[in-house]
Amino acid sequence: MSRSSADDSFAQFMSSHHRYSRHDVASNSPLSYRNRALSIRSGGKANKSSGTGTSGGRTGFSFNSLRGTVQPELSRKLFRLIKSENNLVTAHETAGRERIAIAQQLSDWGEQTGDDGVNDVSDKVGVILSEMGEQEDSYAHALDESRGRLKTIRNTEKSVQPSRDGKVKIADEIAKLKSKEPESTKLVVLEQELVRAEAENLVAEAQLTNVTRQKLKEAYEAEFAATIERAEKQIILAKHGRRLLALLDDTPVVPGDDRQPYAHGQQARQILNDCEDDLREWQPDQEAYLDAAESPPPSLKGKDKGILAVPGGTSVRAQEDLAGAEGLKTAEVGA
């Protein structure tokens, strides 16, 4: 009769490594956690296919993928960046699925070794590796959300491009008409159109710079926060994984001697429980983020000071020039 790697009393913790979506967690519970298995084998054959198939919620080829060939000049580079980000997201999703598949294979191999210690430890390490795969999948979703914010910038750039083109086109028409028919009455109409086009473009450019700054910060703030979460949670998993490995006695035995029976099954289960508690209790270090955001910018020296704008709309260099001129005028009056 084959032994199960975890007691039946711990079966309630098994949820087939199901991960709640961010939306489910936000709507149902203030804490983002899930029950974890005490054995990778408890999922049965359902987990064996986790390394194959397509990721949920992601679409395949469509005619929309050909849009890069018709992107406006202004949004073309960002379009390429977003496409590259999509490849990165897919790579992390694939890595997560492969990690889960490897965890299952490790557990299956340990079971057939006939060594109670290797059997139990490989199974519990498989649980750790499977959770690492789940963390990789969560990171991929966070990257996809960050990518969505960059799309907002790209769409705004696309909307500004016609405004720029229209202004340039009218200016070119005026220049051509002035060279051919300087007295043409059409010049007045074109100049009025140019004034309107410049006003529209001014509004569009202001919107573009506002959206660009806001969404750029949001996109990479989300990515960096997800990177920190992934790293810190993987550290937690790796430390508990090493605790599991420490339970396996690898002292060489003399041929013919029997190895001491493995008696750390309860400790191994407790390590997984500790790991689950640590992951559930993990919280981002908001104070560190705030300290970084509120730190003063580096001081500017030399030529860089001239480009630093100050309240009132005058640059530092312009104010220095103005002060110098006033000082010179005062000296002349005194003389």
Side-chain angles (χ1 to χ4, degrees):
M1 179 177 180
S2 61
R3 55 180 289 275
S4 173
S5 301
D7 294 339
D8 293 338
S9 59
F10 290 91
Q12 57 182 326
F13 294 107
M14 184 59 200
S15 59
S16 299
H17 305 289
H18 172 69
R19 173 170 295 277
Y20 295 104
S21 68
R22 295 178 180 269
H23 301 292
D24 293 338
V25 172
S27 60
N28 297 329
S29 171
L31 295 175
S32 176
Y33 68 91
R34 73 221 105 177
N35 293 329
R36 287 178 180 79
L38 292 173
S39 169
I40 191 68
R41 296 166 200 145
S42 302
K45 298 181 179 179
N47 284 333
K48 293 186 178 180
S49 62
S50 59
T52 60
T54 57
S55 59
R58 302 191 61 77
T59 58
F61 173 81
S62 69
F63 286 108
N64 289 334
S65 63
L66 303 176
R67 288 179 299 173
T69 60
V70 293
Q71 287 294 310
E73 176 85 19
L74 183 59
S75 61
R76 197 166 295 164
K77 290 186 177 180
L78 189 54
F79 178 84
R80 294 195 193 104
L81 186 152
I82 292 171
K83 293 291 288 184
S84 297
E85 286 274 358
N86 185 55
N87 296 335
L88 179 63
V89 170
T90 302
H92 282 286
E93 288 177 337
T94 302
R97 292 194 301 272
E98 293 299 328
R99 175 73 81 177
I100 294 172
I102 289 170
Q104 182 66 56
Q105 292 165 9
L106 174 65
S107 177
D108 292 343
W109 166 80
E111 188 176 24
Q112 60 91 39
T113 60
D115 185 323
D116 289 345
V118 173
N119 183 11
D120 189 56
V121 170
S122 66
D123 188 40
K124 301 299 189 294
V125 169
V127 175
I128 297 291
L129 294 178
S130 179
E131 182 58 32
M132 285 184 171
E134 296 286 358
Q135 293 297 330
E136 202 70 28
D137 187 66
S138 289
Y139 181 63
H141 285 295
L143 289 179
D144 204 31
E145 292 177 3
S146 170
R147 177 171 165 268
R149 292 176 170 89
L150 294 178
K151 287 182 178 180
T152 304
I153 303 176
R154 181 202 63 193
N155 295 339
T156 306
E157 287 180 342
K158 289 173 65 176
S159 67
V160 170
Q161 186 69 59
S163 174
R164 290 186 179 181
D165 294 343
K167 184 181 71 171
V168 172
K169 181 180 179 181
I170 296 174
D172 290 343
E173 289 181 4
I174 291 175
K176 291 178 181 178
L177 193 58
K178 282 183 177 180
S179 62
K180 294 181 179 179
E181 303 177 36
E183 304 298 330
S184 174
T185 57
K186 192 178 178 181
L187 278 173
V188 177
V189 177
L190 288 175
E191 287 173 352
Q192 291 175 349
E193 291 181 2
L194 180 60
V195 170
R196 285 195 294 270
E198 288 177 342
E200 292 174 0
N201 180 251
L202 192 63
V203 174
E205 296 287 355
Q207 182 186 14
L208 175 60
T209 186
N210 292 338
V211 170
T212 298
R213 288 171 176 257
Q214 177 189 358
K215 295 303 178 181
L216 179 65
K217 289 182 66 175
E218 289 180 1
Y220 286 99
E221 173 62 31
E223 180 169 336
F224 291 146
T227 301
I228 292 172
E229 178 178 353
R230 168 175 169 260
E232 293 183 354
K233 287 187 175 180
Q234 285 191 334
I235 289 172
I236 292 172
L237 290 163
K239 286 182 176 179
H240 288 293
R242 296 182 71 180
R243 288 179 63 197
L244 287 170
L245 293 176
L247 299 178
L248 188 64
D249 181 15
D250 61 346
T251 305
V253 295
V254 178
D257 288 352
D258 294 330
R259 187 179 291 278
Q260 291 292 326
Y262 177 75
H264 301 299
Q266 181 62 36
Q267 289 178 260
R269 288 191 290 271
Q270 185 57 47
I271 289 173
L272 289 187
N273 287 333
D274 293 343
C275 182
E276 179 180 5
D277 292 340
D278 289 346
L279 288 174
R280 182 190 299 120
E281 294 169 2
W282 180 88
Q283 294 291 335
D285 188 0
Q286 295 292 348
E287 293 183 0
Y289 303 154
L290 293 175
D291 291 342
E294 294 174 357
S295 59
S299 59
L300 300 177
K301 298 179 181 180
K303 295 181 179 180
D304 292 336
K305 292 175 67 177
I307 62 173
L308 179 62
V310 297
T314 309
S315 68
V316 170
R317 181 178 297 165
Q319 285 201 345
E320 289 176 350
D321 293 342
L322 181 60
E326 290 179 350
L328 180 61
K329 184 183 295 183
T330 302
E332 291 175 349
V333 171

